Amino acid sequence: MCLLRQRRRWYNDDMPELPEVETVKRGLHRLLPRKQIVAVTFDWQKSFPNAPSDVKKFMIGAKVRSVTRRAKVLLIELDSGYSLVIHLKMTGQLVYVEEGKKQKAKSSRSKSEYIGHGPDSSLVRFGAGHPNSSLVGKLPDRSTRVVIDFGSAKLFFNDQRKFGWMRLLPTVEVPNINFFKKLGPEPLEAAFTADDFILRMRRRNKSAAKAVLLDQTVIAGVGNIYADESLFSAQIHPQTIVANLTNGQLAKLYTDLKDVLLLSIKHGGSTDKNYVDAEGNKGSYLTFANVFRKNGQPCPRCGGMIHKTRVAGRGTHLCPDCQTVEE
DNA sequence: CACTTGACCTGTCCGC
DNA sequence: TGCGGACAGGTCAAGT
């Protein structure tokens, strides 16, 4: 019975963070520009709270100009002067399905195998979720919140837990919404230096290091996985008060955080063994993770046992033996 | 004012 | 088997 349970288990809490959203962005930017929206449907008000009249006026007939990313937020700019702002939160996903276009002749794959086979696929999945789940080939389903119809293709915004949202805003207003106004710098921007990082961290000198990393107004785009992984690399206990960290330790955290993010992007921004990126590659970041979801396993650095605890209200993975505590 | 905790959600897992 | 509670976490609001 236990075996059966284990086998059937799949995680839907893929938690798109900066590397995952970056991967989604790259895929959408390859597929969406110049496509024209012919229809939009949505069934969950909170997922897409815009007035239908605005949707009709500024979305229908508009063409996609570009797809970009800021922190964990996707921006789809339209040529109507409006942009779609999309936050996938934990379980949001964007599934792009081309219609009326039969599978390539060379392929004899079943429908459920379309996913993950790259540009030849007629169906490409972005974001969280399980590529082999019943979603495949059966969209829309009960998790579908919004469908953007491009005529020859549809973009499905699915979100099981309804935390994600999508908003249509005048492009010039986008930087002015609260979320963007308060957002900290992108950690991978060339202009973001170690000194900037240290200064910003020190503004929250009394808080636990992990809580500060997760604060999007300090640095944008870091979530639970990369917070745990970067703190492990820098050998900092997640609970450590920032004031008790030296500038040297913070500088190492800065470097390790960037390394972790870059490594994840390189491997398809995976947070889940089942994640599939735009090119159809399974993201493999979790195989590089040292502590995340490794509780009970030996620490790759010192051989101690990885422990799971709770810091800043979040499940937190660490090696108590080589991530020192400084209260 | 600075910082922490709870609410929003649904599906899954685990203990009783 | 079934039921209830814990858990998953990004962000904002409410509480300390």
Side-chain angles (χ1 to χ4, degrees), chain A residues 184-201:
Chain A
E186 295 280 335
L188 295 179
E189 256 175 29
F192 183 62
T193 66
D195 285 345
D196 293 333
F197 177 78
I198 292 168
L199 269 171
R200 299 186 76 88
M201 291 290 286

Side-chain angles (χ1 to χ4, degrees), chain A residues 90-201:
Chain A
M90 269 81 61
T91 56
Q93 53 181 215
L94 291 166
V95 184
Y96 182 84
V97 183
E98 283 188 5
E99 287 179 347
K101 193 172 167 184
K102 292 291 167 223
Q103 215 171 347
K104 291 283 159 66
K106 66 174 180 178
S107 173
S108 58
R109 299 181 206 105
S110 72
K111 237 183 179 181
S112 64
E113 290 173 317
Y114 280 23
I115 270 186
H117 290 277
D120 288 349
S121 305
S122 63
L123 194 157
V124 182
R125 170 181 297 258
F126 303 99
H130 192 299
N132 298 319
S133 78
S134 59
L135 286 177
V136 179
K138 290 183 187 173
L139 292 170
D141 70 0
R142 69 197 149 136
S143 79
T144 300
R145 310 300 167 204
V146 184
V147 183
I148 301 176
D149 191 345
F150 293 101
S152 62
K154 287 190 172 95
L155 183 66
F156 295 91
F157 174 31
N158 301 327
D159 186 15
Q160 190 175 77
R161 278 162 66 185
K162 299 181 176 177
F163 277 29
W165 48 260
M166 185 170 121
R167 254 157 240 170
L168 182 68
L169 292 170
T171 302
V172 292
E173 304 262 322
V174 171
N176 298 328
I177 65 174
N178 258 345
F179 181 79
F180 285 117
K181 269 201 298 197
K182 295 191 291 181
L183 210 53
E186 295 280 335
L188 295 179
E189 256 175 29
F192 183 62
T193 66
D195 285 345
D196 293 333
F197 177 78
I198 292 168
L199 269 171
R200 299 186 76 88
M201 291 290 286

Side-chain angles (χ1 to χ4, degrees), chain A residues 8 12-13 23 51 53 76-77 83 93-94 108 159 205 215 221 238 243 254 260-261 293 297-298 300-301 322:
Chain A
R8 295 171 67 107
N12 203 19
D13 49 335
T23 305
S53 58
I76 300 179
E77 190 193 349
S83 287
Q93 53 181 215
L94 291 166
S108 58
D159 186 15
N205 228 0
D215 186 339
Y254 163 84
V260 162
L261 293 173
R293 287 201 187 131
Q297 297 181 36
R301 184 165 47 212
C322 60

